[in-house]
Amino acid sequence: SQELEQSPQSLIVQEGKNLTINCTSSKTLYGLYWYKQKYGEGLIFLMMLQKGGEEKSHEKITAKLDEKKQQSSLHITASQPSHAGIYLCGADMASGGSYIPTFGRGTSLIVHP
Amino acid sequence: DAGVIQSPRHEVTEMGQEVTLRCKPISGHDYLFWYRQTMMRGLELLIYFNNNVPIDDSGMPEDRFSAKMPNASFSTLKIQPSEPRDSAVYFCASSPWTGRANYGYTFGSGTRLTVV
């Protein structure tokens, strides 16, 4: 089973609409990353959240971390076609004394102009 | 820095052939990761290295897969013999450290492998 579950799996919105993507961990979170992947390309780092309650913004994208619930949400305000892509959450999962970067399956976002 | 460089970008090969994927991490990054991305399973960690030493290869699917890192600036992922189910996008990523890496992990552009 996935250690990081993302929802929804896919999202289609009209330009200008707000949207939220969620990421839930089955294990204790020691920090959580958000990445964006354009179709056919690599992953681009957006931001990292380290502390419970922390909130960060990158242009019109805001992410929050709820450590108690082991969840993070990524919110896009006034979406634009340039926001289209796959959004992945990732976290360092403790494994045998190391931290292994693990990722959710991603949320595919399409923004219609 | 040019970032993490992977080659080739696309590879089409016939079943049974050997395939070698290449990665050049960012200079100074001690950790290198190989991932495979498919629609069904998402992004799976195959193996990672620390200071050129393989640390965890539990994600390598079968003995047909092998990875090496002969020096700090080069790593390869080899599949021999290749099978159609190996078709996926393979990513390499590097990082100065693991655990709460403030700037995340830097990914290459990936190699799209198609085995026919």
Side-chain angles (χ1 to χ4, degrees):
Chain A
S1 63
Q2 285 287 117
E3 292 175 316
L4 290 173
E5 292 283 352
Q6 287 187 236
S7 62
Q9 283 188 318
S10 62
L11 206 48
I12 301 174
V13 300
Q14 202 68 33
E15 183 177 359
K17 295 294 185 184
N18 301 336
L19 63 104
T20 300
I21 298 168
N22 295 299
C23 177
T24 302
S25 173
S26 61
K27 295 184 177 181
T28 303
L29 282 173
Y30 296 97
L32 187 130
Y33 311 91
W34 283 100
Y35 283 80
K36 179 185 176 184
Q37 182 181 20
K38 289 188 178 180
Y39 297 103
E41 298 183 14
L43 281 70
I44 305 298
F45 175 75
L46 294 176
M47 62 192 86
M48 182 194 177
L49 305 167
Q50 290 185 303
K51 303 173 188 175
E54 186 173 13
E55 181 175 318
K56 284 188 178 177
S57 293
H58 173 76
E59 297 176 347
K60 290 188 178 180
I61 302 173
T62 300
K64 298 179 186 178
L65 177 64
D66 185 333
E67 266 189 350
K68 288 183 180 178
K69 292 184 180 178
Q70 297 178 177
Q71 288 180 341
S72 177
S73 60
L74 184 134
H75 184 78
I76 298 178
T77 303
S79 59
Q80 300 169 355
S82 61
H83 286 126
I86 301 171
Y87 289 83
L88 294 98
C89 64
D92 290 314
M93 296 294 187
S95 175
S98 298
Y99 291 98
I100 308 297
T102 304
F103 292 85
R105 288 192 186 175
T107 295
S108 174
L109 172 64
I110 296 174
V111 181
H112 283 307
Chain B
D1 201 318
V4 176
I5 300 172
Q6 290 187 247
S7 64
R9 285 296 307 274
H10 302 275
E11 177 80 40
V12 180
T13 190
E14 290 186 345
M15 183 174 64
Q17 296 297 307
E18 177 179 295
V19 175
T20 300
L21 312 181
R22 297 172 178 79
C23 174
K24 179 179 175 6
I26 290 175
S27 177
H29 281 194
D30 291 338
Y31 288 85
L32 183 140
F33 306 86
W34 281 101
Y35 287 88
R36 177 173 67 176
Q37 186 179 42
T38 60
M39 290 288 290
M40 289 295 294
R41 301 174 69 88
L43 201 61
E44 301 173 279
L45 178 66
L46 300 176
I47 185 171
Y48 80 96
F49 295 83
N50 179 21
N51 291 320
N52 314 337
V53 176
I55 303 300
D56 186 346
D57 65 354
S58 59
M60 297 285 261
E62 298 170 32
D63 292 343
R64 298 184 296 107
F65 286 68
S66 63
K68 293 182 180 179
M69 192 164 185
N71 57 61
S73 59
F74 184 64
S75 177
T76 59
L77 178 68
K78 187 176 292 185
I79 308 173
Q80 164 65 15
S82 58
E83 296 183 4
R85 59 189 166 130
D86 301 331
S87 297
V89 181
Y90 291 80
F91 286 104
C92 175
S94 72
S95 174
W97 51 72
T98 66
R100 301 200 178 203
N102 286 324
Y103 300 99
Y105 300 86
T106 305
F107 281 77
S109 298
T111 295
R112 182 173 295 276
L113 173 65
T114 303
V115 183
V116 298

